[in-house]
Amino acid sequence: LEKPQQDSVFIDFADSARTNWTNLPLGLQARSGLRYGNLSEKSKIAFHKVLSSLFSSQGYLKTFAIMQVDDILHELFEIQFQQGKVNERSMQFIRKLNWDYGNYYVAIAGNPQTEDIWGLKFEGHHLSINITAAGDLITMTPLFMGSDPAIVEDTQYAGLRPLSKEE
């Protein structure tokens, strides 16, 4: 990360932002850390390497499918608006929610290069990943993964189901 990004990504390990979580969209809940969409391509690749080493392949793919569904949700509401199924006032509110693939935030609590205990937080709409590392031990709590819609029924992504099979 470049120096200005380093300044915004680090939070104190004792900061309550490390363990407080929400699944509300950015338009309803501000986040600590650095916006994922502001990362350079090089930084995104490095971040993907970190997450893919922490999660199983399914967990890793679910994480990014959840993020993609935010863009799809925008598209679904825009289609409904164009069809007259959503009124202008509701659409203005929906747009202010700031659902977006890039509107997830990365925060590092403590310093993994100099401290034995540190944390990583990645959070946005329908996703809150909180990792704490103490030496060789790692915990992943609180952890929340959700999806809206659970199953995409329209657009080119019809059938996409980020979290599980239909029972």
Side-chain angles (χ1 to χ4, degrees):
L1 298 174
E2 296 175 14
K3 181 63 175 148
Q5 290 181 321
Q6 289 177 11
D7 292 341
S8 63
V9 78
F10 285 104
I11 61 173
D12 189 69
F13 187 81
D15 190 326
S16 63
R18 182 177 67 85
T19 56
N20 288 344
W21 71 274
T22 181
N23 69 327
L24 293 173
L26 184 61
L28 295 176
Q29 181 65 50
R31 299 297 195 290
S32 296
L34 179 60
R35 183 178 172 269
Y36 176 81
N38 292 347
L39 295 175
S40 68
E41 288 179 0
K42 182 179 176 182
S43 293
K44 285 179 182 174
I45 290 168
F47 184 68
H48 278 264
K49 286 181 181 179
V50 169
L51 285 187
S52 65
S53 69
L54 291 167
F55 281 119
S56 67
S57 58
Q58 279 193 353
Y60 169 76
L61 293 172
K62 285 178 184 183
T63 298
F64 289 95
I66 290 166
M67 292 171 65
Q68 289 172 320
V69 169
D70 273 355
D71 285 348
I72 296 167
L73 188 58
H74 258 301
E75 186 177 347
L76 293 172
F77 273 106
E78 291 292 343
I79 290 168
Q80 290 180 356
F81 175 66
Q82 295 299 324
Q83 294 172 343
K85 295 177 182 176
V86 176
N87 65 41
E88 179 71 34
R89 183 173 176 221
S90 296
M91 200 63 213
Q92 287 176 357
F93 175 78
I94 290 166
R95 289 177 181 142
K96 289 179 184 177
L97 292 174
N98 281 332
W99 293 317
D100 187 274
Y101 182 85
N103 284 343
Y104 288 76
Y105 281 73
V106 180
I108 299 172
N111 188 332
Q113 293 179 333
T114 60
E115 299 172 25
D116 286 336
I117 300 175
W118 58 277
L120 172 68
K121 182 180 190 94
F122 187 55
E123 185 173 78
H125 185 223
H126 288 122
L127 188 63
S128 184
I129 300 167
N130 298 274
I131 297 164
T132 301
D136 292 339
L137 303 175
I138 294 176
T139 64
M140 198 174 299
T141 185
L143 174 69
F144 176 80
M145 292 181 162
S147 179
D148 181 19
I151 301 170
V152 177
E153 296 184 359
D154 293 309
T155 75
Q156 65 185 2
Y157 302 102
L160 178 64
R161 188 177 314 183
L163 295 179
S164 68
K165 297 185 281 185
E166 189 173 21
E167 298 294 325

